[in-house]
Amino acid sequence: MIHIKIFILFISTSIFSQSYQIAYEELFTFDYYELEDLKKELKKKEVGFESPTGFVLICQNGKTSYGKNAERLEKSIDEENTSSQMVSSEVMLVEYYKDKTANICIDYYRNYDPLLYGEDVIVEGELPTFKWEITDIAGDISGYKCKLAKTTRNNGDAIMAWFTDEIAISEGPRDYWGLPGLILQVQINDKVLIVATAIKKILDQKSIVFPAKGNKMTHKQFTELQKELFKPQKIVKPDGTIIIRE
């Protein structure tokens, strides 16, 4: 019996220490776009780790980072020549960090525009907990056998996640996790589709460095900041005309 306990401990430790890099694509619907259209669009895209529009999840020793390749993101910002009058959609991207050993989740907002946050913002809190309902529905995502799980977030978002136990790490894109395997696809309501397009093991064991410089705040404080930043602005022209900028 002692040998069995040691063997089980060795397996669990080995799984926990495995490191992976997963490429994801995030797609968004509009009033005239359906989810099936997104899946067709995905097949036409240049996907994988070199995708200019893709995201990368890195999992190492209980820690994860999720976001766009920093060099590619900065290059796209430069190419767009973003002015202070118009904030690019790229600027609004958030990076996610999770540390299961410390029960920490960080949303990291880079301040690419001086009129946005003033400085980088670090929103820190406890890891979100999800009450997953694992169904018997099976499917294939990116060549892996998956099962469908469902949950509802506190904000009312309906979440459908496909996970595979062929990769035994309880992780996923953004702040999603908590299933007995890697999450390869997430559907948020009928508006957002996140799909894994490439997976590889990491041989170079570099530790994930969490962001340290920036304005640290709680989720509540950041929500209030966003409300203030994006509320309609009243502009008075020289002739006295009032314009409401949404």
Side-chain angles (χ1 to χ4, degrees):
M1 181 64 72
I2 293 175
H3 294 295
I4 293 175
K5 288 182 178 179
I6 293 174
F7 180 68
I8 292 173
L9 177 62
F10 172 78
I11 291 178
S12 62
T13 303
S14 175
I15 289 173
F16 187 73
S17 63
Q18 287 180 356
S19 300
Y20 283 90
Q21 188 171 345
I22 305 99
Y24 289 86
E25 289 288 329
E26 295 197 2
L27 303 101
F28 304 84
T29 65
F30 299 95
D31 293 338
Y32 52 86
Y33 236 19
E34 300 294 336
L35 282 174
E36 290 303 316
D37 295 325
L38 291 184
K39 294 176 182 178
K40 293 176 182 177
E41 180 186 336
L42 181 62
K43 294 179 180 179
K44 303 175 185 177
K45 291 172 66 71
E46 176 193 347
V47 297
F49 293 105
E50 298 303 316
S51 168
T53 60
F55 294 74
V56 176
L57 172 67
I58 298 175
C59 308
Q60 289 184 325
N61 303 321
K63 295 182 179 181
T64 65
S65 66
Y66 179 80
K68 278 203 171 184
N69 180 292
E71 292 181 3
R72 286 180 172 271
L73 178 56
E74 288 172 3
K75 182 179 179 182
S76 67
I77 296 293
D78 291 339
E79 288 176 349
E80 288 182 15
N81 215 2
T82 307
S83 69
S84 59
Q85 302 299 320
M86 183 179 71
V87 179
S88 162
S89 59
E90 296 281 15
V91 174
M92 303 303 297
L93 292 174
V94 55
E95 299 170 28
Y96 296 87
Y97 295 82
K98 299 195 290 288
D99 185 347
K100 289 191 287 188
T101 60
N103 192 33
I104 291 174
C105 185
I106 289 176
D107 298 350
Y108 179 51
Y109 297 81
R110 292 178 182 267
N111 186 61
Y112 281 103
D113 189 284
L115 294 185
L116 194 58
Y117 303 124
E119 61 180 315
D120 294 348
V121 176
I122 299 173
V123 183
E124 184 175 318
E126 294 184 352
L127 278 173
T129 55
F130 300 98
K131 296 180 179 179
W132 294 106
E133 174 195 349
I134 299 176
T135 72
D136 293 326
I137 302 173
D140 184 282
I141 305 292
S142 299
Y144 290 85
K145 294 179 181 178
C146 296
K147 280 189 176 181
L148 176 65
K150 301 177 181 179
T151 191
T152 302
R153 297 201 69 139
N154 292 335
N155 63 1
D157 285 342
I159 309 299
M160 298 174 64
W162 292 87
F163 71 96
T164 178
D165 57 10
E166 294 180 27
I167 301 178
I169 53 174
S170 181
E171 285 298 348
R174 299 194 181 187
D175 59 350
Y176 295 105
W177 73 293
L179 285 164
L182 178 65
I183 298 174
L184 297 184
Q185 179 173 302
V186 175
Q187 178 183 323
I188 306 173
N189 297 322
D190 293 322
K191 299 296 183 182
V192 181
L193 189 67
I194 307 172
V195 185
T197 57
I199 302 170
K200 67 181 180 182
K201 280 192 175 182
I202 300 175
L203 300 179
D204 186 9
Q205 294 290 322
K206 292 182 179 178
S207 60
I208 294 174
V209 179
F210 281 35
K213 293 182 179 180
N215 183 10
K216 295 185 179 181
M217 57 181 66
T218 64
H219 285 281
K220 183 178 180 180
Q221 290 171 329
F222 185 67
T223 299
E224 293 301 316
L225 173 63
Q226 286 186 312
K227 286 180 180 178
E228 183 66 25
L229 285 173
F230 301 112
K231 69 180 182 181
Q233 297 180 347
K234 183 168 69 173
I235 301 174
V236 181
K237 296 176 68 175
D239 62 1
T241 304
I242 297 176
I243 301 174
I244 303 298
R245 179 176 292 174
E246 299 291 339

